[in-house]
Amino acid sequence: MLRQVFRAGETYALPPDISEQQARRVWIDVPVETFVMTGSGGEILGTYYLKVNHPGPGSHVCNCGYVVAAEARGQGVGRALGSHSLREAKERGFRAMQFNLVVSTNVVALRLWKKLGFRTIGTVPGAFNSPKYGYVDAFVMYRELT
Amino acid sequence: MLRQVFRAGETYALPPDISEQQARRVWIDVPVETFVMTGSGGEILGTYYLKVNHPGPGSHVCNCGYVVAAEARGQGVGRALGSHSLREAKERGFRAMQFNLVVSTNVVALRLWKKLGFRTIGTVPGAFNSPKYGYVDAFVMYRELT
């Protein structure tokens, strides 16, 4: 599920040829916690990680990354993962959640994060080199957890 | 030199109790390159690292971190390091330089980055927990390398 998304290279700033070992490191080893959402038949619908965005004096702000299985799109999985992550982050005492690089062409994600109360606090010009669109802007998005 | 700055915890989002090994990782192992500026007597005046800010589709944007020795402040060392880093980054083919977390109380750095052509492209509310000032904003700063 992760491989498909990372290989496409349209939403995550990770090497498209990332190895399984590297992907495990990014998605499981480095984060504080990683969650998986399963369907009624036990199939994996999506996953997200929760991590500290910056250590030390920045460690009250968390960061998450989400992937929804291709077969499960358009069914509210992203929204369920997002809501879950906000609760989990708050419970762990984080004061805010920050996304450092939301690709401007990722309209589904942008719409969802706005619905969930995130606001755009910065725009990085041409931050993302999209295989499909070339250099496109990326947004820094932020939400307090109060 | 690094220990003093990291221990103070006023400018870098790193654990103030960072070990030498962790500090070496952050400053030397992870970056593409690390530079040291020395004075006429061989004394270290300052240092900076140059690294990729985000891998894969984000790898055309670099990031740097700078530290000036306490004894060498106010002598243009920061400016020399900054200018050097912009040249080095451009030579390596980076298209832009981004600082993810410039603490708003770090007025010396803010003034310098503006002089060197950086602009503030985002403000993260309360992003940095300063021992002296509590939760203060941090800026995302950015400069094209064209």
Side-chain angles (χ1 to χ4, degrees), chain A residues 60-61 96 98 119 121 142 144, chain B residues 123-128 135-138:
Chain A
H60 55 288
V61 182
Q98 181 176 338
R119 61 187 195 279
I121 57 166
Y142 183 89
E144 278 90 1
Chain B
T123 303
V124 192
F128 195 87
Y135 292 103
V136 295
D137 294 352

Side-chain angles (χ1 to χ4, degrees), chain A residues 39-73:
Chain A
S40 52
E43 73 281 15
I44 293 179
L45 301 176
T47 176
Y48 76 90
Y49 69 74
L50 170 65
K51 71 177 182 188
V52 173
N53 199 39
H54 292 289
S59 62
H60 55 288
V61 182
C62 69
N63 168 257
C64 290
Y66 311 79
V67 164
V68 175
E71 313 79 51
R73 297 211 177 128

